[in-house]
Amino acid sequence: MAARLVVSRWAAAPVAARAGPLVTCRRWSGAAADTVYDVVVSGGGLVGAAMACALGYDIHFRDKKILLIEAGPKKVLEKLSETYSNRVSSISPGSATLLSSFGAWDHICNMRYRAFRRMQVWDACSEALIMFDKDNLDDMGYIVENDVIMHALTKQLEAVSDRVTVLYRSKAVSYTWPCPFLMADSSPWVQITLGDGSTLQTKLLIGADGHNSGVRQAAGIPNVSWNYDQSAVVATLHLSEATENNVAWQRFLPSGPIALLPLSDTLSSLVWSTSHEHAAELVRMDEEQFVDAVNSAFWSDANHTDFVDSAGSLLQHALALLRPTKVSARQLPPSVARVDAKSRVLFPLGWGHAAEYVRPRVALIGDAAHRVHPLAGQGVNMGFGDISSLAHHLSSAAFNGRDLGSMSHLTGYETERQRHNTALLAATDLLKRLYSTRATPLVLLRTWGLQATNAVSPLKGQIMAFASK
Amino acid sequence: MSGGHKLSCSGIRFLGVLGSVCREAPAHRLRLTGAVNQPDWTLQIKPWIFNKYRTIWSRSYGVTFSCLNRIKRPPWMRLYSTSQTTIDSSEVKTFQALAHKWWDEQGVYAPLHSMNDLRVPFIRDNLLKAVDDHQPGKPLSGMKILDVGCGGGLLAEPLGRLGASVIGIDPVDENIKTAHHHKSFDPVLDKRLEYRACSLEEIAEETIETFDAVIASEVVEHVIDLETFIQCCCQVLKPGGSLFITTINKTQLSYALGIVFSEQIAGIVPKGTHTWEKFVSPEKLESILESNGLSLQTVAGMLYNPFSGYWHWSENTSLNYAAHAVKSMVQEHPGPAEFVIKEDTEELQANTSPSLGMPEELKK
């Protein structure tokens, strides 16, 4: 009997939609030289190294092979230097929990960090301010130097070197993606070619290589991005007098926000986002002028207008009638005496968001997936949040014996993080634009908005909770 | 096929443990365009996908229809070879192309892939209950598992990743080829998994009491002789070993949704693909298990949501369900004396096994 068959050649639409450009699939030669890794993390920065740690210490990954590829050299820190580094990060409690889950937080505690308990954010164009703090004055967050975090992560990676291999001074130059369907000879794994010509294969490639991610570009994932017309100047500042220094200060100037983050009783770190020209000028000018510029940026009321001031105090009185107990008087940050020599550096700012965080056998985390303005101190925290989510999904996938590169759990990670990150990215961009103007209507709007938000404690609590995750 | 159709004992043993049998004449079945068994996720309601099912399932199950017409065929000839006369070579080629669909997670086998979210934890957790401790990362390491009707290896691979050594058997050569091909890329799985195109009978003779677990997922509702199948499963199990079965219940609901709706109303499945009479209820399964020396530990219902593509555990076992049974530790004839709460008193009297003599076992 001849069975009449209807054979329609069809490509699975959902897969094809995700597959992107089909690159030539590599023929599987069964070469023993190519180790098949379970997970390869491309990029050994804060987020990449933390991802490798999180997987290396995961109980369900004991049997798996993990590789971390880092283009730079291994940074060995024999002794903590006396001078503080000028690149610091604000670590939220959620990120601290992640770091302590694989033991890195203990190393950080043994080195140095600074907890802050309060945050004051205020406008340069009006009296409006918002003050964040936790109920019992618990730690809101921690200011830690990036070098310290990196060193802690490196130490923890060394401790699990049987499961996690780290390749320093290696850069991935090209990637070959697997075909969507299992063809006769093609390898189902992602193939990575390194700068020295060697190749390796992996079941899952995690891209943690920064906002110019090579993994993202090679996978053809569309990325929405723009450059801000701002650069950030960072420096380490010495305060005039020793204080308790557990408050983080941020003032929105029309040219951009300036922030003072506590490092120790006498030291604070500066992050000043301003126009490119002004940033270059700040880095060039001599120390005294720089210190004066910083102090005046925090203290000067030159941008106030009477109109906005009176409108602001009107709302303030109204709020005081409704909630007579709460009084937030504007406090002034500590004055700055001098700046550490050679600690002034600038870097450009931008915004970016990848349209997809995952493809079959590929996932993006950290700045490769999203890039944000430092005004909210959320950049690295979003990256650590990505790590928590992805490590959790991969861990349960491993315990269920699933193929690690399978889209079913990768899309779970993507959904979870896109929801969180999109809101935060939109809010940060909105704030940046809202506070970049001197136009009276917008100043009035933001003044009243800030005052109202400051008065509503549950709302402030929600904002803090969202940012602490 | 009339009810009086009775195969000879050897015929049953060879043929009965594999493949699907339809009550209707095999010739009639094969006449249908790529006669297919509706895969057991009966709520699959996407007709356009169904076209792709047809040729695949005709390959696995159409083959065995022809077997019934050739009872006198020597047992050592593999089922595959008899298909040459009844299956078109173009059909074979087409199936070869479609055999790759096993591993397309969004393709025709998507429901079986997503059923792994239930099956693998079910198997893993029940096996881990029996051991005191396990290696983190490889919780099932050291266990030997037999996957009967493994298909493309969808269930064997996750179990292999969890550390078990799995032997997968399937009557259809292409499936074994696909499974073998797929595992060959992963050096770890390559060592832990082994596939053979053979019947349960053939392997049972060589592997008496060697497996810690036997899995028959979506298989028992296609078997001619369930009694013999379970007997063979018991034979290859170590004492105290586990048997895992997932199948479809024989209820009015499964008739309504699986037969009436899928076959006659929505036309998802051609008429006669599924035989409601071959569905197995948990009670019938339990009695067969008990009579073969296996005690049923767990029965849990499974529900498929065709819109989300996910399976869920359910209290309701009237459609799909999963069962876990354990072989008794007693080595001799498995007697119902071990499993007291049963009412089969006539079996009790008929059984003259010496193990019956221990009254305290009756209390268990």
Side-chain angles (χ1 to χ4, degrees), chain A residues 44 52 66-70 154 157-158 161 164-168 170:
Chain A
I66 303 161
L67 176 72
L68 174 66
I69 304 177
E70 162 60 19
T154 311
L157 281 175
E158 280 167 14
S161 51
V164 183
T165 317
V166 188
L167 287 181
Y168 290 100
S170 312

Side-chain angles (χ1 to χ4, degrees), chain A residues 6-70:
Chain A
V6 177
V7 178
S8 45
R9 208 149 275 280
W10 61 294
V15 175
R18 282 275 194 181
L22 268 186
V23 229
T24 332
C25 301
R26 177 187 179 248
R27 294 190 80 75
W28 172 258
S29 57
D34 272 10
T35 342
V36 179
Y37 286 96
D38 292 285
V39 180
V40 166
V41 182
S42 179
L46 289 181
V47 174
M51 182 83 230
C53 263
L55 292 179
Y57 281 85
D58 189 287
I59 191 169
H60 298 129
F61 268 74
R62 294 277 169 96
D63 193 33
K64 309 260 186 255
K65 292 206 282 282
I66 303 161
L67 176 72
L68 174 66
I69 304 177
E70 162 60 19

Side-chain angles (χ1 to χ4, degrees), chain B residues 135-290:
Chain B
Q135 286 187 38
K138 289 192 282 188
L140 298 183
S141 87
M143 299 214 181
K144 296 187 68 172
I145 300 182
L146 175 69
D147 184 5
V148 183
C150 62
L154 297 198
L155 185 51
E157 288 205 3
L159 294 173
R161 282 191 202 103
L162 289 176
S165 307
V166 185
I167 298 183
I169 63 174
D170 200 88
V172 180
D173 227 22
E174 266 83 15
N175 291 344
I176 296 296
K177 279 198 196 132
T178 305
H180 190 86
H181 180 242
H182 193 264
K183 69 140 183 167
S184 65
F185 295 112
D186 185 340
V188 168
L189 283 184
D190 212 9
K191 284 194 287 252
R192 290 190 191 150
L193 305 181
E194 192 193 319
Y195 294 109
R196 286 193 223 174
C198 69
S199 67
L200 181 56
E201 282 301 306
E202 287 165 19
I203 200 169
E205 277 135 40
E206 314 160 2
T207 53
I208 300 183
E209 291 201 358
T210 44
F211 293 106
D212 295 283
V214 171
I215 303 169
S217 180
E218 309 302 305
V219 166
V220 299
E221 67 271 19
H222 299 291
V223 157
I224 296 178
D225 186 353
L226 186 57
E227 178 75 46
T228 317
F229 181 83
I230 302 288
Q231 224 168 40
C232 289
C233 289
C234 191
Q235 206 180 341
V236 301
L237 267 179
K238 283 184 194 164
S242 292
L243 173 62
F244 295 97
I245 292 176
T246 75
T247 185
I248 311 178
N249 198 348
K250 185 176 178 181
T251 59
Q252 301 210 323
L253 189 64
S254 72
Y255 182 75
L257 287 176
I259 309 285
V260 174
F261 179 72
S262 311
E263 294 187 16
Q264 286 155 17
I265 297 177
I268 298 165
V269 176
K271 291 197 173 82
T273 305
H274 253 147
T275 319
W276 184 74
E277 285 78 8
K278 292 210 64 61
F279 288 172
V280 182
S281 73
E283 294 77 25
K284 177 175 171 205
L285 186 67
E286 186 171 9
S287 71
I288 299 182
L289 289 171
E290 305 273 319

Side-chain angles (χ1 to χ4, degrees), chain A residues 1-10 12 14-15 28 36 38 59-65 180-189 203 396 398-404 406-408 411, chain B residues 30-34 48 51-52 55 86 88 90-91 94 97-98 100-101 103-108 117 120-121 124-125 128 136-139 157-158 161-162 181-182 184-187 192 310:
Chain A
M1 62 116 233
R4 247 186 328 112
L5 291 164
V6 177
V7 178
S8 45
R9 208 149 275 280
W10 61 294
V15 175
W28 172 258
V36 179
D38 292 285
I59 191 169
H60 298 129
F61 268 74
R62 294 277 169 96
D63 193 33
K64 309 260 186 255
K65 292 206 282 282
F181 290 107
L182 190 64
M183 311 278 233
D185 274 344
S186 70
S187 161
W189 314 128
K203 299 175 189 171
S396 41
F399 192 45
N400 286 344
R402 277 206 236 138
D403 180 358
L404 289 178
S406 155
M407 283 297 273
S408 53
T411 43
Chain B
L30 291 171
R31 231 193 303 126
L32 296 171
T33 306
W48 60 272
N51 280 329
K52 287 68 190 174
T55 43
T86 50
D88 202 348
S90 64
E91 199 182 319
T94 317
L98 289 171
H100 294 297
K101 301 299 189 237
W103 285 101
D104 181 3
E105 285 183 35
Q106 276 88 27
V108 296
D117 293 345
V120 175
R124 173 198 74 209
D125 294 339
L128 287 180
K138 289 192 282 188
E157 288 205 3
R161 282 191 202 103
L162 289 176
H181 180 242
H182 193 264
S184 65
F185 295 112
D186 185 340
R192 290 190 191 150
Y310 288 112

